[in-house]
């Protein structure tokens, strides 16, 4: 990596390490009176593998035959932590968790050895609009417990989910009927305002008011790279619909962006970024490119005026998609010689 100001380089390294660690750290709830065991560590590993592959329907730990002997090579650290949660009554509470940090290169090697896809750090922000209908009427979701479930499940599956403020500007553009109807186009302006590149809408409805046998339906709709999809399902609780829906959304994103690490020589791409005016913007662009999971190496090969040309090494043929997906770089053109031109979005 080219040299930049030492202090700035330290900050970039710190931010990169923190972001990477979160993807490779798993947490599971434990009881204060009991000792943690191998089972809890393997459960934490399962959550990390699911987050990286987008596979939530089965245990990869079981499928790959992983056990206690594998943890020595995969685990970096273990500790007990207290987390603030919201209980089923909507009241603040605390939960004791076992936090296990796994070794990134070792986990990546495990996935590569088993030909499993890996969804890296390029994870677009999701703007989630949600409404609920129950015996109290129809309204935007603002229940503390459900908001906690959204936040907790988002972290578990590795999604950055943004919840709208629902201020005056929001509500002039989005109505309850828009969300219930899954009219994703109505949220495009708000998605741009919140810096999200994926729009999602959720319509929760209580179908049976009997407290002993509730029945909920959930209608999810989302838009990824201009393509609309979704999920219609039912469950005994609204929380279950939120958790399973976010898993399905994460799987859809992983199917789009996860890559299988294949052995072989990486291709070289020339990428010119226009509109860089100072070293802070240069460092931001360099960090962004270097952090993409599809990028094996990046070098600066030229600079002129407000443009810098990078040589990017990657095994992917559609690298343009990954360079442009974060919104930082806006694609301009592909030259006749194959060189890619982007503009810094500022």
């Amino acid at each position: 990596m080219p040299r930049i100001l030492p202090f700035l380089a330290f900050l970039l390294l710190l931010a990169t390490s923190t972001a990477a660690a979160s993807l490779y750290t798993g947490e599971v709830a434990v009881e204060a009176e009991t000792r943690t065991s191998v089972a809890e560590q393997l459960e934490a590993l399962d959550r990390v593998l699911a987050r990286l592959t987008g596979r939530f329907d089965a245990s990869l730990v079981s499928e790959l035959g992983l056990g206690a002997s594998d943890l020595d090579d995969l685990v970096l650290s273990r500790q007990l932590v207290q987390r603030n949660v919201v209980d089923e009554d909507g009241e603040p509470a605390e939960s004791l968790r076992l936090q296990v940090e796994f070794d990134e290169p070792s986990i990546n090697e495990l996935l590569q050895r088993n030909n499993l896809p890996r969804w890296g750090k390029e994870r677009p922000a999701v703007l989630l609009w949600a409404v609920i209908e129950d015996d109290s009427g129809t309204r935007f979701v603002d229940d503390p417990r459900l908001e906690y479930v959204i936040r907790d499940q988002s972290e578990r599956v590795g999604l950055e989910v943004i919840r709208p403020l629902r201020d005056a500007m929001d509500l002039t553009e989005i109505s309850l009927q828009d969300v219930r109807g899954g009219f994703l186009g109505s949220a495009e302006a708000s998605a741009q305002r919140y810096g999200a590149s994926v729009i999602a809408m959720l319509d929760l409805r209580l179908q049976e008011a009997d407290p002993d046998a509730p029945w909920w339906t959930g209608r999810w709709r989302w838009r990824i790279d201009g393509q609309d999809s979704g999920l219609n399902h039912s469950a005994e609780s609204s929380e279950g619909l939120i958790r399973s829906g976010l898993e399905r959304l994460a799987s859809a994103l992983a199917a789009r962006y996860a890559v299988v690490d294949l052995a072989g020589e990486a291709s070289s791409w020339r990428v010119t970024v226009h509109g860089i005016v100072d070293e802070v913007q240069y460092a931001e662009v360099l960090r962004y490119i270097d952090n993409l999971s599809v990028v094996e190496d990046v070098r600066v090969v030229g600079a002129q005026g407000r443009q810098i040309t990078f040589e990017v090494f990657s095994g992917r043929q559609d690298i343009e998609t990954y360079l442009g997906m974060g919104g930082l770089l806006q694609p301009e053109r592909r030259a006749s010689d194959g060189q890619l031109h982007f503009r810094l979005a500022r």
Side-chain angles (χ1 to χ4, degrees):
M1 179 183 294
R3 293 186 60 188
I4 56 178
L5 292 178
F7 180 67
L8 183 57
F10 170 76
L11 292 179
L12 295 179
L13 178 61
L14 180 62
T16 300
S17 300
T18 302
S22 63
L23 291 179
Y24 292 82
T25 300
E27 287 187 6
V28 295
V30 295
E31 297 295 334
E33 297 80 10
T34 60
R35 295 173 60 88
T36 59
S37 65
V38 169
E40 282 87 3
Q41 296 179 57
L42 291 175
E43 183 180 351
L45 175 59
D46 236 343
R47 294 190 177 184
V48 167
L49 295 179
R51 185 187 298 145
L52 292 171
T53 62
R55 293 179 53 178
F56 301 96
D57 56 344
S59 167
L60 281 173
V61 165
S62 297
E63 183 177 315
L64 300 177
L66 302 176
S69 60
D70 299 290
L71 292 174
D72 292 337
D73 296 327
L74 298 176
V75 173
L76 285 180
S77 65
R78 296 179 291 267
Q79 62 178 328
L80 292 174
V81 296
Q82 287 282 357
R83 295 298 186 206
N84 294 324
V85 301
V86 177
D87 64 21
E88 294 182 356
D89 296 324
E91 298 297 327
E94 288 190 340
S95 173
L96 184 64
R97 307 278 182 88
L98 173 65
Q99 182 187 82
V100 185
E101 182 181 356
F102 295 93
D103 181 57
E104 180 177 350
S106 298
I107 292 293
N108 292 346
E109 181 183 355
L110 173 67
L111 297 176
Q112 180 181 13
R113 189 165 64 245
N114 290 278
N115 295 318
L116 290 168
R118 176 170 58 88
W119 183 22
K121 308 175 189 70
E122 53 276 4
R123 300 189 172 220
V126 178
L127 178 64
L128 173 60
W129 285 89
V131 299
I132 185 170
E133 177 188 342
D134 56 18
D135 50 10
S136 298
T138 303
R139 62 202 179 278
F140 288 107
V141 170
D142 60 0
D143 177 81
R145 172 63 182 180
L146 294 185
E147 292 290 356
Y148 166 74
V149 171
I150 292 172
R151 184 172 66 254
D152 179 67
Q153 185 69 351
S154 299
E155 294 174 356
R156 181 176 297 182
V157 302
L159 291 179
E160 179 190 353
V161 173
I162 300 171
R163 297 286 285 122
L165 296 173
R166 301 186 304 279
D167 56 14
M169 183 175 294
D170 281 342
L171 297 181
T172 59
E173 299 171 350
I174 305 293
S175 67
L176 289 169
Q177 291 71 28
D178 289 329
V179 180
R180 299 193 78 181
F183 301 130
L184 298 167
S186 63
E188 289 182 351
S190 61
Q192 184 174 4
R193 185 164 60 250
Y194 286 102
S197 53
V198 175
I199 300 169
M201 290 182 171
L202 170 60
D203 178 23
L204 294 168
R205 303 191 189 194
L206 178 62
Q207 303 296 324
E208 176 55 65
D210 182 356
D212 296 324
W215 177 41
W216 288 83
T217 61
R219 183 176 186 266
W220 284 87
R221 292 293 179 269
W222 54 72
R223 178 171 294 172
I224 301 174
D225 288 342
Q227 299 295 316
D228 295 354
S229 187
L231 170 68
N232 295 331
H233 56 164
S234 60
E236 294 182 353
S237 71
S238 55
E239 295 181 16
L241 295 173
I242 290 172
R243 292 191 182 278
S244 58
L246 287 172
E247 284 185 356
R248 184 70 67 89
L249 175 55
S251 294
L253 286 165
R256 178 68 182 87
Y257 298 116
V259 297
V260 177
D261 293 325
L262 300 176
E265 186 175 349
S267 300
S268 172
W269 299 79
R270 289 294 177 103
V271 179
T272 296
V273 179
H274 303 263
I276 298 177
V277 300
D278 55 34
E279 64 182 8
V280 174
Q281 291 183 348
Y282 155 72
E284 184 179 14
V285 171
L286 178 62
R287 179 185 64 178
Y288 172 73
I289 297 175
D290 197 30
N291 278 350
L292 292 175
S293 61
V294 297
V295 171
E296 298 183 13
D297 194 14
V298 56
R299 305 168 186 169
V300 173
V301 295
Q304 182 178 2
R306 295 188 175 185
Q307 68 181 46
I308 295 179
T309 298
F310 302 89
E311 185 175 21
V312 181
F313 295 88
S314 172
R316 294 288 294 184
Q317 297 302 311
D318 57 346
I319 190 173
E320 290 172 273
T321 299
Y322 294 87
L323 290 170
M325 66 164 293
L328 180 67
L329 303 180
Q330 296 178 342
E332 286 198 331
R333 61 187 174 91
R334 179 195 284 252
S336 57
D337 61 357
Q339 183 166 325
L340 304 175
H341 289 262
F342 287 81
R343 179 164 296 278
L344 182 62
R346 285 291 182 269

